[in-house]
Amino acid sequence: MKNMKSLIALLIAAGITVTSFSACKPQPAQELTVTPTPEATQNGEVTQSGHDEQLSDLPYKGSGSDYVYSMTDERDRAREKDIVFFADKYLDKENGHPKLVDIDCTITVYNSLEKPDTTTVKLYDEALRNEFIRRINELIESIPERSDDEIFLGLAETAAILNDSEGAITGYLDDEDTFSFYTTPILSENGFECYITRIAKDDEKYLMCRIDAINGIKIDEVFSRLGKLIGHASENDLIHTVCISAYISACNDLRYLGIMDEGNTATFTLTDRDGKTFDAEFESMLVWDSMKLDMVSYSSGTGAEESEIGTWFKSSHDDYWSNPWYEFLSNGKALYVRPYRGINWMADTDYLKEMEKEAKKAGTVEKLIVDCRGLEGGDIENIAFIIASLNKIKASEGKYVLIDHTSSRISVAIASLIKRFVDGAELVGSPAGKAPLSIHSATLYDLPNLGSMFFFSINEGDDYWPGYENEVLMPDTTIYQTAEDYKNGVDSVLKALLD
């Protein structure tokens, strides 16, 4: 779909990570027949051997320069060229993926704010490289039996074994279909629940229904299968990506993974706000048609969403082109700071002086709250100025940095550095989606014939908390958003801090 493809390009150019979406004509589910993914290794040391087959026996050995094309059909030859092009970029000796190519990865290490250090690490994994090449060969061999959609998703499935949350393959055709709703996950120490929070007005009765299963497949299994197509840093990152990118309503993906059949309907097992469980049949429609629908979002009807502890508050002034913002809460007792789109604009000297002046005018601020949940894109070039300002502001009852599963790369970067360099800062909320170590994404490539785009991590990155050992950034004090509070329009974390 041309307009959707343009939107994705705009988002990528603006710095928003977009993960893979299904692209083509609906077909019966078909997966690569693969052996288990080799475990990731550290420092290039292989912990699991590759496969019995030798690369020398495979048609594609890791470079298109010595590959002999075998497809004779025009369409099949074009797809063969696409797959080889895709693989060649990932395996390029100088600019390929650092897990697949034995190259040094340069990491900027934030031991200090003023003058970060640099170091080099090896992420190369020979077993993973062999598995990647094996899957590429299997995909090439199956071209005549696969639809374009299955080839596209086969590429996504192959790239997903790298667990590269900064990479993506995207693309659309005019006949892509979807279910016309969006979901929000509620996470707790016991797992997650998935709720319908935006839907076509005609189906408004399903708002805030929990999705328990699709065609009898339990929701956690649905997410697990979708994880085969999505590069993700953690389970939290996967849950966030599935929901924010509407994978759960992307029918082509669901068909490919065996969750839907060839038809355009699916039976969803739902539980409503009163606890009643029932089945509802949803019919898909073309993405273009779904964009014309009159959509409604969930509201508790109490007005709580718009209060200072409401679920809408943190995004109440968020706008893609806007500056980060601050606001005094609890009758001036708390200073709330929202570094939306990173912090470059916030580093404007006059803006920081204004914030410091207002805090001083308010008297002793009891709590300083920096909300790093769900920040989109941006960078941290001027982080030192922000931290200096936050250190100047006195907060008698503490300084808190909010994180949760929506805290991705830029959110985790800001939260980690504030925690480390702002006196007394405490991380509050639930586990983030990523760790403080991140690798950068690279140039956007176009597949020559299939009409799709892809990109992946390169050999550069940042370590915002040297020596941090957890899989994701963890809070010092854990407070989960509860489903009950969400139903009532209340942000559980802000409520706990401000009550």
Side-chain angles (χ1 to χ4, degrees):
M1 180 175 293
K2 295 180 176 62
N3 63 325
M4 290 298 288
K5 188 170 181 179
S6 299
L7 174 60
I8 293 297
L10 175 61
L11 293 175
I12 292 169
I16 299 176
T17 298
V18 183
T19 45
S20 60
F21 291 81
S22 55
C24 306
K25 191 173 183 178
Q27 295 291 335
Q30 177 180 338
E31 294 185 45
L32 290 174
T33 54
V34 297
T35 55
T37 301
E39 295 179 1
T41 61
Q42 295 182 345
N43 302 320
E45 182 180 351
V46 179
T47 59
Q48 178 180 328
S49 62
H51 302 281
D52 294 335
E53 59 200 352
Q54 298 296 315
L55 293 184
S56 58
D57 298 329
L58 298 175
Y60 180 83
K61 301 174 178 60
S63 173
S65 61
D66 55 13
Y67 176 74
V68 178
Y69 289 89
S70 60
M71 299 292 162
T72 56
D73 178 80
E74 182 179 357
R75 175 264 184 189
D76 293 350
R77 174 62 68 92
R79 299 299 170 261
E80 186 179 20
K81 289 181 177 179
D82 279 336
I83 295 170
V84 171
F85 178 86
F86 180 88
D88 275 357
K89 293 303 180 184
Y90 270 89
L91 297 167
D92 184 88
K93 292 181 179 180
E94 294 184 358
N95 300 306
H97 197 286
K99 288 186 178 181
L100 301 180
V101 183
D102 190 7
I103 53 178
D104 287 333
C105 192
T106 303
I107 305 295
T108 300
V109 182
Y110 284 81
N111 289 314
S112 69
L113 292 176
E114 292 75 19
K115 194 175 181 181
D117 300 321
T118 58
T119 188
T120 58
V121 298
K122 292 279 191 182
L123 302 178
Y124 176 61
D125 186 328
E126 184 179 0
L128 200 58
R129 176 188 172 91
N130 290 345
E131 171 67 0
F132 181 89
I133 293 174
R134 191 191 71 79
R135 288 181 178 227
I136 289 294
N137 278 276
E138 188 173 87
L139 194 54
I140 291 173
E141 184 180 354
S142 65
I143 287 174
E145 291 77 42
R146 283 177 173 262
S147 67
D148 285 353
D149 189 51
E150 290 169 335
I151 291 173
F152 173 90
L153 290 170
L155 291 172
E157 192 175 8
T158 300
I161 68 172
L162 304 177
N163 288 329
D164 183 0
S165 59
E166 296 299 320
I169 176 168
T170 67
Y172 294 89
L173 290 185
D174 288 337
D175 57 0
E176 182 184 9
D177 62 333
T178 183
F179 295 116
S180 54
F181 60 74
Y182 297 88
T183 59
T184 296
I186 304 294
L187 277 69
S188 73
E189 63 272 16
N190 299 319
F192 75 97
E193 297 176 334
C194 183
Y195 290 86
I196 296 174
T197 51
R198 184 169 172 79
I199 198 166
K201 188 172 179 57
D202 290 344
D203 292 324
E204 190 171 1
K205 62 185 177 182
Y206 297 122
L207 277 176
M208 210 54 205
C209 283
R210 186 184 70 215
I211 301 176
D212 298 326
I214 304 176
N215 287 333
I217 300 172
K218 292 183 177 180
I219 194 65
D220 54 350
E221 172 63 17
V222 171
F223 274 68
S224 178
R225 294 192 193 184
L226 286 168
K228 295 179 180 180
L229 303 178
I230 305 168
H232 54 280
S234 67
E235 183 179 357
N236 279 2
D237 186 37
L238 172 63
I239 292 167
H240 174 57
T241 302
V242 166
C243 290
I244 197 172
S245 298
Y247 274 96
I248 199 168
S249 57
C251 297
N252 290 345
D253 294 10
L254 298 179
R255 293 187 186 97
Y256 182 82
L257 296 168
I259 299 168
M260 281 182 67
D261 59 22
E262 295 182 59
N264 64 341
T265 62
T267 300
F268 285 72
T269 302
L270 306 176
T271 298
D272 66 18
R273 282 168 276 179
D274 297 324
K276 179 184 176 182
T277 299
F278 60 97
D279 286 341
E281 187 175 89
F282 284 81
E283 184 175 354
S284 70
M285 62 175 57
L286 296 178
V287 171
W288 176 252
D289 291 335
S290 72
M291 293 172 66
K292 303 174 186 176
L293 293 175
D294 183 11
M295 303 290 285
V296 291
S297 297
Y298 173 72
S299 171
S300 66
T302 65
E305 284 89 349
E306 298 180 22
S307 72
E308 61 185 32
I309 62 168
T311 51
W312 296 351
F313 177 75
K314 71 174 181 291
S315 59
S316 60
H317 300 302
D318 285 354
D319 179 86
Y320 184 77
W321 300 112
S322 71
N323 289 340
W325 52 278
Y326 67 88
E327 190 165 322
F328 285 92
L329 310 179
S330 293
N331 296 316
K333 295 179 181 179
L335 173 58
Y336 176 93
V337 182
R338 176 76 170 157
Y340 190 69
R341 288 292 302 158
I343 57 174
N344 252 11
W345 294 327
M346 194 174 190
D348 178 84
T349 304
D350 292 336
Y351 188 86
L352 292 179
K353 286 181 178 178
E354 176 190 316
M355 185 174 72
E356 294 169 24
K357 182 180 179 180
E358 291 296 321
K360 188 174 181 179
K361 185 193 300 183
T364 302
V365 174
E366 294 179 358
K367 296 177 181 178
L368 172 61
I369 301 170
V370 183
D371 197 338
C372 290
R373 297 174 296 175
L375 304 183
E376 295 186 4
D379 58 56
I380 61 161
E381 182 179 344
N382 296 306
I383 185 68
F385 296 102
I386 308 302
I387 286 178
S389 184
L390 296 178
N391 272 320
K392 290 178 183 177
I393 297 172
K394 305 300 180 184
S396 60
E397 295 184 13
K399 299 180 179 181
Y400 305 98
V401 184
L402 310 189
I403 59 172
D404 67 6
H405 65 284
T406 68
S407 299
S408 192
R409 183 167 65 90
I410 196 65
S411 299
V412 168
I414 296 172
S416 298
L417 294 173
I418 292 176
K419 164 66 180 177
R420 293 176 58 214
F421 294 106
V422 172
D423 296 338
E426 179 181 346
L427 297 175
V428 176
S430 54
K434 296 186 179 181
L437 174 63
S438 67
I439 307 300
H440 300 166
S441 57
T443 305
L444 182 67
Y445 299 102
D446 286 302
L447 287 177
N449 303 296
L450 195 55
S452 302
M453 304 171 286
F454 67 94
F455 54 99
F456 51 83
S457 291
I458 56 173
N459 60 333
E460 296 178 2
D462 296 292
D463 188 354
Y464 302 106
W465 197 329
Y468 194 83
E469 297 181 351
N470 289 319
E471 180 189 37
V472 298
L473 186 65
M474 299 293 291
D476 299 308
T477 300
T478 301
I479 304 173
Y480 283 99
Q481 171 70 51
T482 68
E484 191 62 29
D485 275 345
Y486 193 93
K487 290 174 185 178
N488 293 322
V490 174
D491 184 320
S492 299
V493 181
L494 288 177
K495 181 180 75 170
L497 287 177
L498 297 176
D499 275 359

